[in-house]
Short mmCIF file of all heavy atoms in Angstrom, two decimals:
data_model
loop_
_atom_site.label_atom_id
_atom_site.label_comp_id
_atom_site.label_asym_id
_atom_site.label_seq_id
_atom_site.Cartn_x
_atom_site.Cartn_y
_atom_site.Cartn_z
N ARG A 1076 211.01 30.25 41.08
CA ARG A 1076 211.24 30.44 42.54
C ARG A 1076 210.59 31.76 43.01
O ARG A 1076 209.90 31.72 44.08
CB ARG A 1076 212.80 30.35 42.86
CG ARG A 1076 213.09 30.67 44.36
CD ARG A 1076 212.50 29.58 45.19
NE ARG A 1076 212.77 29.87 46.69
CZ ARG A 1076 213.87 29.62 47.38
NH1 ARG A 1076 214.79 28.83 46.78
NH2 ARG A 1076 213.99 29.95 48.64
N THR A 1079 206.77 31.14 43.09
CA THR A 1079 206.34 30.13 44.13
C THR A 1079 206.44 31.01 45.48
O THR A 1079 205.52 30.68 46.36
CB THR A 1079 207.28 28.97 44.10
OG1 THR A 1079 207.15 28.25 42.85
CG2 THR A 1079 206.96 27.95 45.30
N PRO A 1085 199.86 26.26 45.06
CA PRO A 1085 201.04 25.48 44.55
C PRO A 1085 201.42 25.68 43.12
O PRO A 1085 200.50 26.03 42.36
CB PRO A 1085 200.61 24.04 44.83
CG PRO A 1085 199.54 24.13 45.92
CD PRO A 1085 198.81 25.34 45.66
N THR A 1086 202.61 25.62 42.74
CA THR A 1086 203.10 25.77 41.33
C THR A 1086 203.57 24.42 40.83
O THR A 1086 204.16 23.60 41.65
CB THR A 1086 204.22 26.80 41.36
OG1 THR A 1086 205.30 26.47 42.21
CG2 THR A 1086 203.69 28.15 41.69
N THR A 1087 203.54 24.24 39.56
CA THR A 1087 204.19 23.08 38.90
C THR A 1087 204.59 23.32 37.44
O THR A 1087 203.94 24.18 36.84
CB THR A 1087 203.11 21.90 38.90
OG1 THR A 1087 203.76 20.78 38.45
CG2 THR A 1087 201.96 22.17 38.04
N THR A 1088 205.65 22.60 37.09
CA THR A 1088 206.03 22.64 35.70
C THR A 1088 206.77 21.39 35.48
O THR A 1088 207.02 20.58 36.26
CB THR A 1088 206.99 23.76 35.30
OG1 THR A 1088 207.06 23.98 33.91
CG2 THR A 1088 208.28 23.60 35.96
N PHE A 1098 215.58 18.50 35.70
CA PHE A 1098 214.60 18.88 36.87
C PHE A 1098 215.47 19.25 38.17
O PHE A 1098 214.87 19.77 39.02
CB PHE A 1098 213.94 17.53 37.20
CG PHE A 1098 212.67 17.31 36.38
CD1 PHE A 1098 212.76 16.61 35.29
CD2 PHE A 1098 211.44 17.81 36.73
CE1 PHE A 1098 211.58 16.28 34.52
CE2 PHE A 1098 210.42 17.64 36.01
CZ PHE A 1098 210.33 16.87 34.87
N LEU A 1099 216.80 18.97 38.11
CA LEU A 1099 217.45 19.32 39.44
C LEU A 1099 217.43 20.78 39.84
O LEU A 1099 217.24 20.97 41.04
CB LEU A 1099 218.98 18.78 39.12
CG LEU A 1099 219.24 17.34 39.09
CD1 LEU A 1099 220.73 17.02 38.89
CD2 LEU A 1099 218.69 16.61 40.34
N PRO A 1100 217.61 21.72 39.06
CA PRO A 1100 217.60 23.12 39.46
C PRO A 1100 216.32 23.41 40.02
O PRO A 1100 216.15 24.10 41.16
CB PRO A 1100 217.87 23.99 38.27
CG PRO A 1100 218.56 23.05 37.31
CD PRO A 1100 218.03 21.70 37.56
N LEU A 1101 215.17 23.01 39.54
CA LEU A 1101 213.82 23.24 40.18
C LEU A 1101 213.74 22.60 41.47
O LEU A 1101 213.03 23.13 42.38
CB LEU A 1101 212.72 22.65 39.20
CG LEU A 1101 212.46 23.45 37.79
CD1 LEU A 1101 211.68 22.61 36.83
CD2 LEU A 1101 211.86 24.78 38.05
N ILE A 1102 214.25 21.42 41.64
CA ILE A 1102 214.09 20.56 42.84
C ILE A 1102 215.00 21.16 43.98
O ILE A 1102 214.59 21.40 45.03
CB ILE A 1102 214.38 19.03 42.55
CG1 ILE A 1102 213.30 18.51 41.75
CG2 ILE A 1102 214.42 18.34 43.91
CD1 ILE A 1102 213.52 17.10 41.17
N HIS A 1103 216.28 21.48 43.50
CA HIS A 1103 217.29 21.86 44.55
C HIS A 1103 216.79 23.12 45.06
O HIS A 1103 216.97 23.41 46.30
CB HIS A 1103 218.65 21.97 43.79
CG HIS A 1103 219.35 20.72 43.68
ND1 HIS A 1103 220.37 20.52 42.84
CD2 HIS A 1103 219.12 19.51 44.20
CE1 HIS A 1103 220.77 19.25 42.87
NE2 HIS A 1103 220.04 18.63 43.70
N ASN A 1104 216.33 24.10 44.20
CA ASN A 1104 215.92 25.36 44.71
C ASN A 1104 214.53 25.47 45.27
O ASN A 1104 213.99 26.46 45.63
CB ASN A 1104 216.05 26.36 43.51
CG ASN A 1104 217.49 26.55 42.98
OD1 ASN A 1104 218.39 26.52 43.80
ND2 ASN A 1104 217.60 26.76 41.62
N ARG A 1105 213.80 24.28 45.25
CA ARG A 1105 212.37 24.30 45.63
C ARG A 1105 211.73 25.28 44.88
O ARG A 1105 210.87 26.05 45.42
CB ARG A 1105 212.24 24.41 47.18
CG ARG A 1105 212.82 23.17 47.94
CD ARG A 1105 212.63 23.32 49.37
NE ARG A 1105 212.94 22.20 50.12
CZ ARG A 1105 214.28 21.91 50.62
NH1 ARG A 1105 215.22 22.74 50.17
NH2 ARG A 1105 214.57 20.85 51.15
N ALA A 1106 211.99 25.45 43.56
CA ALA A 1106 211.36 26.51 42.77
C ALA A 1106 209.93 26.28 42.40
O ALA A 1106 209.16 27.10 42.12
CB ALA A 1106 212.18 26.65 41.47
N VAL A 1107 209.45 24.97 42.51
CA VAL A 1107 208.04 24.52 42.35
C VAL A 1107 207.61 23.69 43.51
O VAL A 1107 208.48 23.08 44.23
CB VAL A 1107 207.89 23.87 40.99
CG1 VAL A 1107 207.93 24.86 39.80
CG2 VAL A 1107 208.71 22.64 40.82
N ASP A 1108 206.31 23.62 43.73
CA ASP A 1108 205.80 22.79 44.85
C ASP A 1108 205.55 21.35 44.33
O ASP A 1108 205.56 20.45 45.08
CB ASP A 1108 204.46 23.31 45.23
CG ASP A 1108 204.71 24.78 45.85
OD1 ASP A 1108 205.33 24.93 46.83
OD2 ASP A 1108 204.17 25.66 45.31
N ILE A 1109 205.33 21.26 42.99
CA ILE A 1109 204.95 19.91 42.46
C ILE A 1109 205.71 19.79 41.09
O ILE A 1109 205.76 20.74 40.30
CB ILE A 1109 203.43 19.86 42.17
CG1 ILE A 1109 202.68 20.04 43.37
CG2 ILE A 1109 203.18 18.52 41.43
CD1 ILE A 1109 201.20 20.34 43.21
N ILE A 1110 206.29 18.62 40.90
CA ILE A 1110 206.98 18.42 39.44
C ILE A 1110 205.83 17.77 38.67
O ILE A 1110 205.05 17.04 39.19
CB ILE A 1110 208.26 17.56 39.56
CG1 ILE A 1110 208.05 16.32 40.40
CG2 ILE A 1110 209.38 18.42 40.21
CD1 ILE A 1110 209.19 15.25 40.17
N HIS A 1111 206.00 17.98 37.29
CA HIS A 1111 204.91 17.52 36.46
C HIS A 1111 205.44 16.98 35.21
O HIS A 1111 205.32 17.45 34.12
CB HIS A 1111 204.08 18.75 36.19
CG HIS A 1111 202.68 18.31 35.56
ND1 HIS A 1111 202.14 18.95 34.34
CD2 HIS A 1111 201.71 17.47 35.83
CE1 HIS A 1111 201.03 18.53 34.12
NE2 HIS A 1111 200.71 17.52 34.94
N PRO A 1112 206.20 15.80 35.25
CA PRO A 1112 206.71 15.27 34.05
C PRO A 1112 205.83 14.52 33.22
O PRO A 1112 204.74 14.12 33.61
CB PRO A 1112 207.74 14.21 34.61
CG PRO A 1112 207.12 13.75 35.95
CD PRO A 1112 206.44 15.02 36.51
N LYS A 1124 210.72 7.65 37.43
CA LYS A 1124 210.75 7.23 38.73
C LYS A 1124 211.91 7.84 39.56
O LYS A 1124 211.86 8.19 40.66
CB LYS A 1124 210.81 5.69 38.82
CG LYS A 1124 210.85 5.27 40.40
CD LYS A 1124 210.70 3.82 40.55
CE LYS A 1124 211.13 3.31 42.05
NZ LYS A 1124 210.43 4.06 43.07
N ARG A 1125 213.07 7.89 38.87
CA ARG A 1125 214.18 8.47 39.59
C ARG A 1125 213.95 9.93 39.80
O ARG A 1125 214.46 10.51 40.82
CB ARG A 1125 215.49 8.40 38.55
CG ARG A 1125 215.96 6.96 38.35
CD ARG A 1125 217.18 6.92 37.51
NE ARG A 1125 218.23 7.67 37.98
CZ ARG A 1125 219.08 8.53 37.22
NH1 ARG A 1125 218.80 8.69 36.05
NH2 ARG A 1125 220.08 9.10 37.77
N ILE A 1126 213.28 10.73 38.83
CA ILE A 1126 212.95 12.08 39.07
C ILE A 1126 212.08 12.18 40.26
O ILE A 1126 212.22 13.04 41.11
CB ILE A 1126 212.33 12.61 37.83
CG1 ILE A 1126 213.27 12.69 36.65
CG2 ILE A 1126 211.59 13.94 38.06
CD1 ILE A 1126 212.57 12.85 35.30
N ALA A 1127 211.00 11.37 40.37
CA ALA A 1127 210.03 11.47 41.45
C ALA A 1127 210.68 11.15 42.81
O ALA A 1127 210.51 11.80 43.83
CB ALA A 1127 208.98 10.45 41.19
N ASP A 1128 211.63 10.12 42.85
CA ASP A 1128 212.29 9.68 44.00
C ASP A 1128 213.23 10.80 44.50
O ASP A 1128 213.28 11.22 45.69
CB ASP A 1128 213.04 8.54 43.85
CG ASP A 1128 212.17 7.23 43.59
OD1 ASP A 1128 210.99 7.39 43.98
OD2 ASP A 1128 212.77 6.20 43.25
N TYR A 1129 213.85 11.51 43.60
CA TYR A 1129 214.70 12.63 43.96
C TYR A 1129 213.85 13.80 44.47
O TYR A 1129 214.27 14.39 45.48
CB TYR A 1129 215.55 13.06 42.74
CG TYR A 1129 216.72 13.94 43.05
CD1 TYR A 1129 217.97 13.35 43.29
CD2 TYR A 1129 216.67 15.31 43.17
CE1 TYR A 1129 219.12 14.02 43.73
CE2 TYR A 1129 217.68 16.10 43.56
CZ TYR A 1129 219.08 15.44 43.84
OH TYR A 1129 220.07 16.13 44.09
N ALA A 1130 212.90 14.08 43.85
CA ALA A 1130 211.87 15.16 44.29
C ALA A 1130 211.39 14.83 45.66
O ALA A 1130 211.29 15.72 46.62
CB ALA A 1130 210.77 15.44 43.30
N GLU A 1131 211.13 13.63 46.00
CA GLU A 1131 210.47 13.22 47.29
C GLU A 1131 211.57 13.60 48.39
O GLU A 1131 211.07 13.90 49.51
CB GLU A 1131 210.21 11.69 47.19
CG GLU A 1131 209.64 11.16 48.56
CD GLU A 1131 209.48 9.58 48.53
OE1 GLU A 1131 209.62 9.06 47.50
OE2 GLU A 1131 209.22 9.01 49.60
N GLU A 1132 212.83 13.36 48.10
CA GLU A 1132 213.85 13.67 49.21
C GLU A 1132 213.81 15.18 49.51
O GLU A 1132 214.20 15.61 50.52
CB GLU A 1132 215.29 13.39 48.65
CG GLU A 1132 215.40 11.89 48.37
CD GLU A 1132 215.32 11.10 49.57
OE1 GLU A 1132 215.87 11.49 50.70
OE2 GLU A 1132 214.65 10.04 49.52
N TYR A 1133 213.24 16.06 48.65
CA TYR A 1133 213.10 17.44 48.86
C TYR A 1133 211.72 17.92 49.37
O TYR A 1133 211.38 19.06 49.37
CB TYR A 1133 213.66 18.27 47.70
CG TYR A 1133 215.00 18.18 47.54
CD1 TYR A 1133 215.70 17.14 47.02
CD2 TYR A 1133 215.86 19.44 47.95
CE1 TYR A 1133 217.11 17.22 46.89
CE2 TYR A 1133 217.20 19.38 47.79
CZ TYR A 1133 217.85 18.33 47.22
OH TYR A 1133 219.22 18.24 47.10
N GLY A 1134 210.79 16.86 49.58
CA GLY A 1134 209.52 17.20 50.01
C GLY A 1134 208.58 17.67 48.96
O GLY A 1134 207.64 18.47 49.14
N ILE A 1135 208.90 17.35 47.60
CA ILE A 1135 208.16 17.77 46.48
C ILE A 1135 207.38 16.66 45.90
O ILE A 1135 207.96 15.58 45.68
CB ILE A 1135 209.11 18.43 45.43
CG1 ILE A 1135 209.75 19.70 45.96
CG2 ILE A 1135 208.36 18.73 44.12
CD1 ILE A 1135 210.97 20.20 45.10
N ALA A 1136 206.07 16.84 45.62
CA ALA A 1136 205.19 15.85 45.11
C ALA A 1136 205.34 15.70 43.58
O ALA A 1136 205.94 16.62 42.91
CB ALA A 1136 203.79 16.16 45.52
N MET A 1137 204.72 14.73 43.04
CA MET A 1137 204.75 14.59 41.55
C MET A 1137 203.22 14.37 41.03
O MET A 1137 202.65 13.44 41.52
CB MET A 1137 205.62 13.40 41.12
CG MET A 1137 205.52 13.18 39.61
SD MET A 1137 206.62 11.82 38.92
CE MET A 1137 205.52 10.33 39.48
N ALA A 1138 202.87 15.18 40.16
CA ALA A 1138 201.76 14.82 39.24
C ALA A 1138 202.37 14.51 37.79
O ALA A 1138 203.46 14.72 37.57
CB ALA A 1138 200.79 16.04 39.07
N THR A 1158 205.56 4.77 42.62
CA THR A 1158 206.24 6.09 43.14
C THR A 1158 205.44 6.52 44.33
O THR A 1158 204.23 6.57 44.30
CB THR A 1158 206.23 7.05 41.98
OG1 THR A 1158 206.84 6.60 40.93
CG2 THR A 1158 206.91 8.31 42.40
N GLN A 1159 206.17 6.78 45.43
CA GLN A 1159 205.37 7.16 46.64
C GLN A 1159 204.80 8.55 46.66
O GLN A 1159 203.73 8.79 47.04
CB GLN A 1159 206.31 7.06 47.83
CG GLN A 1159 205.68 7.26 49.16
CD GLN A 1159 206.48 6.86 50.36
OE1 GLN A 1159 207.73 6.70 50.25
NE2 GLN A 1159 205.90 6.80 51.52
N ASN A 1160 205.46 9.53 46.06
CA ASN A 1160 204.96 10.94 46.21
C ASN A 1160 204.13 11.34 45.06
O ASN A 1160 203.98 12.51 44.80
CB ASN A 1160 206.14 11.86 46.31
CG ASN A 1160 207.20 11.69 45.11
OD1 ASN A 1160 207.31 10.76 44.40
ND2 ASN A 1160 207.88 12.82 44.80
N PHE A 1161 203.43 10.35 44.54
CA PHE A 1161 202.56 10.67 43.31
C PHE A 1161 201.19 11.24 43.73
O PHE A 1161 200.61 10.79 44.81
CB PHE A 1161 202.31 9.37 42.53
CG PHE A 1161 201.19 9.35 41.68
CD1 PHE A 1161 201.34 9.93 40.42
CD2 PHE A 1161 199.94 8.89 41.93
CE1 PHE A 1161 200.31 9.98 39.43
CE2 PHE A 1161 198.85 8.78 41.05
CZ PHE A 1161 199.03 9.39 39.85
N LEU A 1162 200.73 12.16 43.00
CA LEU A 1162 199.37 12.89 43.23
C LEU A 1162 198.36 12.32 42.29
O LEU A 1162 197.30 11.77 42.69
CB LEU A 1162 199.52 14.33 43.16
CG LEU A 1162 200.41 15.01 44.21
CD1 LEU A 1162 200.48 16.51 43.88
CD2 LEU A 1162 199.89 14.83 45.58
#
Side-chain angles (χ1 to χ4, degrees):
R1076 177 63 185 267
T1079 299
T1086 55
T1087 188
T1088 192
F1098 276 94
L1099 290 181
L1101 291 167
I1102 295 170
H1103 283 164
N1104 295 328
R1105 292 182 175 83
V1107 290
D1108 299 294
I1109 302 164
I1110 55 166
H1111 193 228
K1124 176 169 168 53
R1125 291 178 65 223
I1126 292 163
D1128 289 348
Y1129 198 89
E1131 183 185 349
E1132 297 297 316
Y1133 285 76
I1135 294 172
M1137 178 181 75
T1158 307
Q1159 185 169 14
N1160 57 334
F1161 166 79
L1162 294 176

